[in-house]
Amino acid sequence: MKAKRKAEEASARIQETATVPDGLVITTPAEPGMVRTQIYLTAREHAFLQRQAARCGETMASLIRRYIDEKMDLPEDLWTNNPLLEPPVHDPAFVGHEDDSINLDHYLYGTPKRYKKVRGKWVPVAPQA
Protein backbone atom coordinates (compact mmCIF):
# COMPACT_ATOMS: atom_id res chain seq x y z
CA MET A 1 0.00 0.00 0.00
CA LYS A 2 2.69 2.44 1.03
CA ALA A 3 4.87 1.67 -2.01
CA LYS A 4 1.91 2.09 -4.37
CA ARG A 5 1.05 5.47 -2.87
CA LYS A 6 4.69 6.58 -3.19
CA ALA A 7 4.72 5.48 -6.83
CA GLU A 8 1.53 7.44 -7.51
CA GLU A 9 3.03 10.53 -5.86
CA ALA A 10 6.18 10.13 -7.96
CA SER A 11 4.07 9.84 -11.12
CA ALA A 12 2.19 13.01 -10.18
CA ARG A 13 5.49 14.92 -9.91
CA ILE A 14 6.34 14.21 -13.56
CA GLN A 15 5.35 17.24 -15.64
CA GLU A 16 5.66 15.99 -19.20
CA THR A 17 6.42 12.82 -21.10
CA ALA A 18 7.67 12.63 -24.67
CA THR A 19 8.31 9.67 -26.96
CA VAL A 20 11.18 9.96 -29.42
CA PRO A 21 11.25 8.04 -32.74
CA ASP A 22 13.18 5.03 -31.37
CA GLY A 23 10.44 4.43 -28.78
CA LEU A 24 12.40 5.82 -25.83
CA VAL A 25 10.19 7.58 -23.33
CA ILE A 26 11.66 10.76 -21.86
CA THR A 27 10.21 12.22 -18.68
CA THR A 28 10.97 15.61 -17.25
CA PRO A 29 10.87 15.86 -13.45
CA ALA A 30 8.77 18.58 -11.84
CA GLU A 31 11.63 19.60 -9.58
CA PRO A 32 13.81 22.15 -11.36
CA GLY A 33 17.56 21.67 -11.41
CA MET A 34 17.45 17.87 -11.48
CA VAL A 35 19.97 16.15 -13.75
CA ARG A 36 19.41 12.67 -15.11
CA THR A 37 22.42 10.39 -14.73
CA GLN A 38 23.18 6.73 -15.24
CA ILE A 39 25.41 4.55 -13.05
CA TYR A 40 26.55 0.94 -13.11
CA LEU A 41 25.90 -1.12 -9.98
CA THR A 42 26.92 -4.62 -9.06
CA ALA A 43 24.08 -7.11 -8.72
CA ARG A 44 24.63 -7.06 -4.96
CA GLU A 45 24.42 -3.24 -4.79
CA HIS A 46 21.29 -3.22 -6.95
CA ALA A 47 19.58 -5.87 -4.82
CA PHE A 48 20.47 -3.94 -1.66
CA LEU A 49 18.95 -0.73 -3.05
CA GLN A 50 15.81 -2.57 -4.15
CA ARG A 51 15.34 -4.09 -0.70
CA GLN A 52 15.95 -0.77 1.05
CA ALA A 53 13.61 1.11 -1.28
CA ALA A 54 10.85 -1.48 -0.75
CA ARG A 55 11.39 -1.41 3.01
CA CYS A 56 11.20 2.40 3.08
CA GLY A 57 8.33 2.59 0.58
CA GLU A 58 10.18 4.80 -1.87
CA THR A 59 11.81 4.55 -5.27
CA MET A 60 15.44 3.56 -5.73
CA ALA A 61 16.16 7.00 -7.18
CA SER A 62 14.77 8.82 -4.15
CA LEU A 63 16.65 6.46 -1.83
CA ILE A 64 19.93 7.17 -3.63
CA ARG A 65 19.24 10.93 -3.50
CA ARG A 66 18.51 10.67 0.24
CA TYR A 67 21.77 8.77 0.86
CA ILE A 68 23.69 11.41 -1.08
CA ASP A 69 21.94 14.23 0.82
CA GLU A 70 22.88 12.60 4.14
CA LYS A 71 26.56 12.54 3.14
CA MET A 72 26.39 16.12 1.85
CA ASP A 73 25.01 17.32 5.20
CA LEU A 74 28.07 16.20 7.17
CA PRO A 75 29.95 19.13 8.73
CA GLU A 76 33.10 20.25 6.92
CA ASP A 77 35.27 19.86 10.04
CA LEU A 78 34.03 16.35 10.87
CA TRP A 79 37.50 14.78 10.56
CA THR A 80 39.51 17.71 11.92
CA ASN A 81 37.44 18.80 14.92
CA ASN A 82 36.22 15.52 16.39
CA PRO A 83 37.07 14.74 20.03
CA LEU A 84 36.64 11.01 19.39
CA LEU A 85 39.64 11.16 17.06
CA GLU A 86 41.92 12.77 19.63
CA PRO A 87 44.72 10.63 21.07
CA PRO A 88 43.87 9.06 24.42
CA VAL A 89 44.98 10.73 27.61
CA HIS A 90 48.21 9.24 28.91
CA ASP A 91 47.70 7.33 32.16
CA PRO A 92 51.00 6.28 33.73
CA ALA A 93 49.17 3.95 36.13
CA PHE A 94 47.63 1.90 33.31
CA VAL A 95 49.19 -1.51 32.80
CA GLY A 96 47.89 -3.44 29.80
CA HIS A 97 48.79 -6.71 28.15
CA GLU A 98 51.20 -6.82 25.23
CA ASP A 99 48.73 -8.97 23.29
CA ASP A 100 45.62 -6.84 23.94
CA SER A 101 44.87 -6.26 20.27
CA ILE A 102 45.30 -9.83 19.04
CA ASN A 103 43.67 -11.56 22.04
CA LEU A 104 40.98 -8.93 22.70
CA ASP A 105 38.14 -11.46 23.01
CA HIS A 106 40.11 -13.29 25.70
CA TYR A 107 40.45 -10.16 27.84
CA LEU A 108 36.90 -8.89 27.22
CA TYR A 109 34.86 -12.09 27.19
CA GLY A 110 37.11 -14.78 28.64
CA THR A 111 37.37 -16.85 25.47
CA PRO A 112 40.53 -18.92 24.96
CA LYS A 113 43.51 -16.97 23.63
CA ARG A 114 43.89 -17.11 19.84
CA TYR A 115 47.59 -16.25 19.76
CA LYS A 116 50.57 -17.04 21.96
CA LYS A 117 54.16 -15.84 21.91
CA VAL A 118 56.71 -18.43 20.78
CA ARG A 119 60.39 -17.42 20.57
CA GLY A 120 59.47 -13.73 20.38
CA LYS A 121 56.78 -14.10 17.65
CA TRP A 122 53.01 -14.29 17.97
CA VAL A 123 51.59 -17.48 16.44
CA PRO A 124 48.03 -18.83 16.29
CA VAL A 125 47.04 -21.26 19.02
CA ALA A 126 45.80 -24.63 17.77
CA PRO A 127 42.02 -24.97 18.36
CA GLN A 128 41.14 -27.09 21.36
CA ALA A 129 38.98 -30.12 20.66
Side-chain angles (χ1 to χ4, degrees):
M1 296 295 260
K2 205 176 198 183
K4 184 178 178 183
R5 186 178 40 191
K6 290 279 189 179
E8 289 170 357
E9 290 171 1
S11 296
R13 287 195 299 264
I14 297 174
Q15 285 184 335
E16 64 183 75
T17 302
T19 305
V20 292
D22 64 358
L24 178 68
V25 176
I26 300 173
T27 56
T28 305
E31 299 175 37
M34 303 233 2
V35 177
R36 181 179 170 91
T37 189
Q38 181 175 341
I39 63 170
Y40 288 96
L41 301 171
T42 65
R44 187 170 171 248
E45 292 166 340
H46 188 262
F48 168 78
L49 288 173
Q50 282 184 319
R51 285 191 310 272
Q52 289 298 102
R55 188 177 63 80
C56 296
E58 59 185 312
T59 64
M60 278 179 47
S62 65
L63 180 74
I64 291 168
R65 284 193 299 272
R66 183 165 54 86
Y67 285 169
I68 292 170
D69 289 342
E70 287 173 7
K71 293 297 180 188
M72 288 172 44
D73 289 341
L74 294 175
E76 290 294 322
D77 65 347
L78 179 69
W79 298 108
T80 57
N81 191 20
N82 187 335
L84 294 176
L85 300 176
E86 295 292 322
V89 177
H90 178 66
D91 182 2
F94 176 75
V95 178
H97 305 278
E98 65 177 333
D99 60 338
D100 280 345
S101 62
I102 58 175
N103 283 316
L104 182 65
D105 287 349
H106 171 73
Y107 295 110
L108 288 180
Y109 310 116
T111 62
K113 286 190 175 187
R114 296 179 65 193
Y115 294 89
K116 67 179 178 178
K117 200 170 196 177
V118 176
R119 288 183 244 134
K121 293 190 177 191
W122 292 99
V123 296
V125 174
Q128 297 176 2

